[in-house]
Amino acid sequence: MAKPGHLTLRNIRKQYTVNGNAFTVLDGVSLDIAPGEFVSIVGHSGCGKSTLLRLVMGLDGEYEGEILLDGHRLRGTSLDRGIVFQEHRLFPWLSVTDNIGLALQNSPLTKAERRDAIQQHVELVGLQGFEKAWPNQLSGGMSQRVAIARALVNRPEILLLDEPFGALDALNRAKLQAELQRIWQVEGITMILVTHDVEEAIFLGDRVVVMEPRPGRIKRIVPVATPHPRVRNDCNLLQVRESVLEEFREETIETISNAA
Amino acid sequence: MSVQVIPSTPALRRAAAAVAARTRLWQGLALPVAIIVLWTVATSANWVDTRILVGPWKVVETAWFHLTHHVLWEGLGYSVARMVSGFVLGGFAGLVLGVLLGASRIGDRLVSPTLNTVKQIALFAWIPLISVWFGMGEPAKVIFIALAVFYPIVFNTYEGVRSVAREHIEVARAFEFTRWQTFRRVILPSSTPQIFTGVRLGLIYAWLATVGAEYFLKAGPGLGNIMIDGRERFLMEQVIFGVTVVGLVGFAVQIIATRLETRLLRWRTRSNA
Amino acid sequence: MSIAADTTTLARQVLVTKTAQRPWTGRLLRRSGSWSLGLTLPLLLPLAILGAWQSASTWHWISPQILPAPAVVWGTLVDLTASGDITTNLGISALRVLYGFLIGGIAGLVLGLAMGLSPTVRAYLYPTFNAISLVPALGWIPLLMMFVGIGETLKIIIIAKATLVPIAIAAVQGIRNIPENYFEVGSVFRFSRWQVVRYIVLPAAVPSLFNGVRQGLNHAWLALVVVELLASSEGIGYLMVWGRQLFQLDVVIATMIVIGAVGLLLDQGLQFAESRLLRWRRSAY
Ligand SMILES: Nc1ncnc2c1ncn2[C@@H]1O[C@H](COP(=O)(O)OP(=O)(O)O)[C@@H](O)[C@H]1O
Ligand SMILES: [Mg+2]
């Protein structure tokens, strides 16, 4: 039998109401994600990427279409799915360990097991020595690592990441991308990464989903065949990058000619 | 979380919002109405001593009497005039001192510790001293009100000026602003919101102090007299009416203060949106 | 990052050199932060006031009836303390504040949490609560006097009301200002209602609640002085009224000093507690 955790999105449509007017954020989004796969989603900001992740996470239940996990419709949130928000959303009044421990409030682990799990995940994201620190004593990159540890500590089957490295400088970002790749290989879980950084999407993803805005739709899905672990200047990756960037170039030309 | 059913068309949505607002209004009125009903029943069925708790009707009668006689309106005029004088005096002093202390580190070290200590003397503890030094008349009352207004305004102005972002000051320095330009272009605009918070609090305190002044420095006409007079003559209905009037004026002052603040700070909410 | 940091440092250095080149104002500013001046400056003003006060009485600028000499006030303060007048009355007042503050504080906390957590409770109670809180404590006194007389009950009710309002408002606002984001985190980890209150609402509202408690205590102390000035035969406020009636300004001023000292003590104590309790707010930079 196949591993569980098969995610299916069928014809998702989502509307928001602003000042009494409904506008469509997502339209006709369909996607199949196999267990253990790494899927990247790229698109301009505002094209509904965060909204899509919120739907998959179960934070928002008002949409049309179906989101199925192993054939069953999603209802609400679950500890089997973890999320790293765009902003780290750590609680400022809790130390690093307590922030991670918060995720285990409703886990079946014993107290000792919890302590071990927390320590293990602090090490996984390389934050030994900062266990007692408060969030506002951490740099942006460190906060994001804590958020990743907090999302992983429940050992979810699926991890959703919403532009987790968006606010970081280039050096830190490259480092954390490499670490995320390592964690993904070690843990063997499904990851869905939302980003507006094409290079990041290609470096990490088995497939890259290119979205277009107004309303948010899937424009193209680009497979990236290069095996993991990858190196950044792999020739195949560079080729895929050219082809994805081409999609955005067309879009820009379209927008400009539409505006004219 | 529970799943809410949200109506889909704008018209339906607006109707639903209107219904929700009306429901909230009724819910808010439920308790006051219940109290008045209980009060009416209790007094008319003689559950309570009606010499102590008079019926609502009696209060309405007294209210009508006062509202149609000039004493109330004259008293209101005196009280408001007093409040405004005290507010202007204390507010001006607080503003000037707050800016000076906030902008000058030497001034801050020199004055703030003393000011912070003196502030700890509860406001009303000044009354006996003020009454000896300035008597019971208008000057004493206005000085007391000014003192009440002074504290919130001086501290909020000080805080506002002090908390100007260092980055903004550095911008001013990079452009070689003079001291006056820095004050006029950077410090003043960025501390305005907090200064207005002080002004709003100052207005509220001004009314509190006005009532207090009429209480403790009993000389001359004023709104508080209705209440005090009612208590001395043991006229419950007049006391209830007096308390209501004091509360209503306080309410009006608060509304005016809040309106003024939001109006003057409109640029801020807009840029935040 | 390193490049950005370098440019900022560079910019700072340029600015620092500029200030250093400026004439004496810049230098004096920095020197005033040094130890000796930092401690001397705050003492200058009180010393000046004391000096003026002393000269006023030495050269009889002001009648001692209106402004007794500092030494007289000090003597009275010592005498009143030695005779137990201050301690006894202060004890009575402290007890009143304690009862009123506890009753009002707990009631305010419960009311505020209920109104903050439940929109239904808020819809029913908030308008009435608001109306009641708008009438200053001073306004309620005559009404309450007619119901409960001028005994201990009146004082404790007034102090409790003065405490209740700021604490309840702080609780409501503290809860309502919690970012929606935090609740989403709670829902990601499948928090129960109780867990949401325990792990998100309460800690997130603590800074606001602390402000409320500080204000509440401040108002309680203020209300105590008011009721004791108005209707009392004992307590620190009464001591003041007594001094005023006998035209003994030394007693009045001595009592003011005691009231100020207690206020200062309360304020400092709470500030200390706050800095201990809210250590997580201290940032690294
Ligand atoms: N709660 C909301 N209410 C109304 N509009 C929203 C809400 N959340 C997002 N939007 C709008 O939906 C669109 C997509 O937002 P989002 O999913 O955050 O985009 P992305 O993450 O791709 O930048 C944007 O136009 C945004 O303004
Ligand atoms: Mg987004």
Side-chain angles (χ1 to χ4, degrees):
Chain A
M1 223 188 98
K3 259 173 73 177
H6 197 105
L7 190 70
T8 311
L9 280 67
R10 238 184 248 153
N11 234 335
I12 303 298
R13 187 177 138 89
K14 166 77 186 167
Q15 293 192 315
Y16 276 122
T17 309
V18 176
N19 299 328
N21 300 316
F23 77 97
T24 309
V25 187
L26 292 173
D27 201 5
V29 174
S30 298
L31 195 60
D32 250 300
I33 298 174
E37 195 179 5
F38 199 123
V39 174
S40 306
I41 302 177
V42 273
H44 290 293
S45 79
C47 74
K49 305 181 300 290
S50 296
T51 307
L52 188 64
L53 279 199
R54 291 169 52 81
L55 298 186
V56 174
M57 189 61 214
L59 283 169
D60 189 344
E62 287 163 26
Y63 58 88
E64 293 162 42
E66 281 180 316
I67 302 179
L68 306 172
L69 188 59
D70 295 324
H72 299 289
R73 219 186 141 125
L74 281 186
R75 282 202 200 292
T77 55
S78 153
L79 293 184
D80 290 336
R81 270 164 286 140
I83 186 166
V84 178
F85 290 103
Q86 199 164 349
E87 341 76 62
H88 57 73
R89 295 200 194 181
L90 300 179
F91 288 159
W93 54 85
L94 296 179
S95 66
V96 166
T97 38
D98 290 343
N99 260 297
I100 300 173
L102 203 68
L104 293 172
Q105 279 301 326
N106 293 317
S107 95
L109 301 184
T110 65
K111 230 176 181 162
E113 286 170 336
R114 279 180 204 202
R115 208 173 321 116
D116 289 346
I118 294 170
Q119 192 51 42
Q120 206 181 326
H121 282 84
V122 167
E123 280 160 25
L124 186 72
V125 295
L127 279 176
Q128 299 95 311
F130 288 93
E131 286 88 348
K132 291 275 158 288
W134 275 295
N136 58 15
Q137 297 172 316
L138 302 177
S139 71
M142 287 155 87
S143 302
Q144 241 7 308
R145 286 166 197 250
V146 181
I148 292 173
R150 182 178 72 173
L152 283 172
V153 75
N154 270 309
R155 304 203 155 264
E157 290 162 8
I158 301 175
L159 180 67
L160 311 173
L161 302 120
D162 191 355
E163 303 192 23
F165 313 133
L168 303 186
D169 60 89
L171 298 177
N172 257 316
R173 197 184 311 159
K175 199 164 144 198
L176 279 175
Q177 284 165 359
E179 273 180 52
L180 188 67
Q181 177 174 240
R182 179 181 62 83
I183 292 170
W184 174 70
Q185 285 191 294
V186 173
E187 304 274 319
I189 61 179
T190 314
M191 287 197 186
I192 305 177
L193 170 80
V194 157
T195 175
H196 55 234
D197 179 344
V198 173
E199 241 166 286
E200 178 173 289
I202 294 165
F203 176 64
L204 290 166
D206 292 323
R207 284 188 292 161
V208 176
V209 177
V210 181
M211 288 188 66
E212 57 185 338
R214 260 157 288 141
R217 281 152 297 162
I218 293 180
K219 188 175 194 187
R220 213 184 124 192
I221 299 179
V222 184
V224 186
T226 317
H228 292 269
R230 293 170 177 171
V231 286
R232 216 158 278 275
N233 49 5
D234 182 286
C235 212
N236 185 30
L237 292 187
L238 294 178
Q239 273 173 6
V240 178
R241 175 170 163 239
E242 264 324 293
S243 108
V244 172
L245 284 175
E246 193 54 39
E247 296 287 339
F248 285 110
R249 239 167 257 145
E250 279 166 28
E251 198 175 290
T252 319
I253 292 165
E254 264 170 46
T255 327
I256 291 170
S257 52
N258 283 350
Chain B
M1 297 284 135
S2 66
V3 178
Q4 287 183 343
V5 183
I6 294 187
S8 46
T9 73
L12 268 181
R13 233 176 269 256
R14 240 169 292 148
V19 168
R22 222 173 311 137
T23 317
R24 268 201 305 280
L25 185 67
W26 283 117
Q27 286 171 332
L29 282 174
L31 189 59
V33 168
I35 292 172
I36 290 174
V37 168
L38 189 68
W39 179 14
T40 315
V41 173
T43 46
S44 51
N46 279 322
W47 293 346
V48 289
D49 187 346
T50 43
R51 275 168 309 174
I52 293 181
L53 185 59
V54 297
W57 190 242
K58 201 95 182 273
V59 178
V60 174
E61 268 177 18
T62 311
W64 181 249
F65 172 82
H66 280 287
L67 288 173
T68 52
H69 281 72
H70 62 101
V71 181
L72 171 76
W73 302 105
E74 258 174 43
L76 182 66
Y78 275 104
S79 294
V80 170
R82 224 169 260 154
M83 181 180 118
V84 171
S85 327
F87 178 78
V88 170
L89 197 67
F92 185 72
L95 206 61
V96 170
L97 193 62
V99 167
L100 286 180
L101 298 188
S104 141
R105 278 184 57 183
I106 299 178
D108 185 22
R109 295 295 296 153
L110 199 62
V111 180
S112 297
T114 310
L115 199 62
N116 275 316
T117 313
V118 172
K119 181 187 76 170
Q120 300 302 336
I121 300 173
L123 185 64
F124 285 86
W126 285 97
I127 292 251
L129 203 62
I130 288 179
S131 74
V132 173
W133 285 354
F134 303 99
M136 296 283 205
E138 280 319 299
K141 294 196 180 88
V142 170
I143 284 173
F144 178 66
I145 298 166
L147 187 67
V149 174
F150 172 75
Y151 286 127
I153 293 193
V154 76
F155 287 111
N156 278 290
T157 307
Y158 170 82
E159 281 297 326
V161 172
R162 278 308 294 270
S163 57
V164 174
R166 201 186 53 211
E167 289 80 358
H168 292 177
I169 300 276
E170 285 180 353
V171 171
R173 285 220 230 138
F175 290 129
E176 303 206 302
F177 278 17
T178 60
R179 282 193 139 218
W180 169 248
Q181 282 171 327
T182 310
F183 177 72
R184 170 78 188 72
R185 301 280 166 211
V186 183
I187 297 177
L188 202 60
S190 77
S191 53
T192 324
Q194 179 120 37
I195 293 177
F196 281 131
T197 304
V199 168
R200 181 169 54 82
L201 284 175
L203 272 171
I204 294 166
Y205 273 79
W207 180 240
L208 174 76
T210 305
V211 179
E214 293 178 5
Y215 236 108
F216 290 107
L217 306 165
K218 296 170 196 146
L223 204 57
N225 284 350
I226 294 175
M227 213 161 58
I228 299 161
D229 182 58
R231 191 182 75 77
E232 273 164 9
R233 290 167 38 205
F234 218 82
L235 294 172
M236 184 55 134
E237 58 275 22
Q238 196 175 321
V239 172
I240 295 179
F241 173 67
V243 171
T244 314
V245 172
V246 166
L248 282 178
V249 176
F251 183 57
V253 168
Q254 194 152 358
I255 288 197
I256 292 170
T258 312
R259 282 273 162 83
L260 214 66
E261 192 182 5
T262 40
R263 208 185 168 82
L264 291 171
L265 294 180
R266 244 184 328 196
W267 57 272
R268 183 165 154 241
T269 45
R270 207 182 298 146
S271 65
N272 276 357
Chain C
M1 188 163 143
S2 63
I3 295 173
D6 274 359
T7 40
T8 340
T9 328
L10 193 67
R12 286 248 169 82
Q13 270 164 3
V14 171
L15 288 166
V16 168
T17 358
K18 266 196 180 163
T19 26
Q21 281 165 355
R22 245 198 259 153
W24 58 273
T25 45
R27 258 176 287 146
L28 191 64
L29 263 180
R30 247 173 303 126
R31 201 143 39 96
S32 74
S34 76
W35 261 102
S36 56
L37 263 177
L39 276 183
T40 331
L41 277 181
L43 288 176
L44 284 181
L45 186 63
L47 285 176
I49 294 174
L50 210 60
W53 183 5
Q54 183 60 51
S55 353
S57 65
T58 312
W59 288 294
H60 301 289
W61 296 341
I62 302 174
S63 132
Q65 278 273 299
I66 291 192
L67 188 66
V72 176
V73 172
W74 179 249
T76 308
L77 193 59
V78 172
D79 285 348
L80 287 178
T81 314
S83 68
D85 279 322
I86 283 184
T87 34
T88 322
N89 285 303
L90 201 56
I92 292 166
S93 297
L95 220 55
R96 285 174 182 157
V97 171
L98 184 70
Y99 287 144
F101 180 76
L102 280 183
I103 295 172
I106 292 170
L109 201 63
V110 170
L111 191 66
L113 288 180
M115 288 195 296
L117 289 173
S118 153
T120 316
V121 174
R122 191 162 59 239
Y124 278 104
L125 293 188
Y126 198 74
T128 310
F129 166 79
N130 218 2
I132 290 175
S133 62
L134 273 176
V135 181
L138 218 55
W140 291 108
I141 292 180
L143 196 64
L144 277 168
M145 273 181 176
M146 302 191 78
F147 284 120
V148 300
I150 58 169
E152 230 36 30
T153 322
L154 171 79
K155 283 152 203 143
I156 288 173
I157 292 180
I158 292 295
I159 295 170
K161 186 261 170 191
T163 315
L164 183 147
V165 172
I167 291 186
I169 290 179
V172 172
Q173 282 180 347
I175 292 173
R176 300 208 70 191
N177 287 340
I178 300 173
E180 187 56 36
N181 279 352
Y182 288 176
F183 293 111
E184 279 190 3
V185 173
S187 127
V188 164
F189 300 132
R190 301 198 54 81
F191 279 4
S192 63
R193 268 188 90 91
W194 162 243
Q195 283 174 328
V196 170
V197 172
R198 165 74 185 76
Y199 295 110
I200 300 177
V201 172
L202 287 182
V206 160
S208 173
L209 273 176
F210 220 99
N211 255 330
V213 168
R214 244 172 101 171
Q215 261 190 55
L217 197 55
N218 203 337
H219 285 199
W221 187 237
L222 191 69
L224 171 91
V225 173
V226 171
V227 277
E228 287 193 347
L229 284 183
L230 209 61
S232 187
S233 52
E234 46 189 5
I236 197 75
Y238 170 73
L239 202 59
M240 190 176 234
V241 177
W242 177 77
R244 166 75 182 84
Q245 276 165 357
L246 299 180
F247 232 89
Q248 293 199 333
L249 271 243
D250 49 339
V251 175
V252 172
I253 297 176
T255 331
M256 281 176 76
I257 293 173
V258 172
I259 290 178
V262 173
L264 192 67
L265 218 65
L266 291 178
D267 195 63
Q268 294 291 311
L270 276 180
Q271 247 177 48
F272 176 72
E274 186 170 4
S275 67
R276 287 305 308 257
L277 213 70
L278 299 178
R279 258 173 314 172
W280 54 266
R281 284 172 124 193
R282 210 186 311 146
S283 51
Y285 44 83

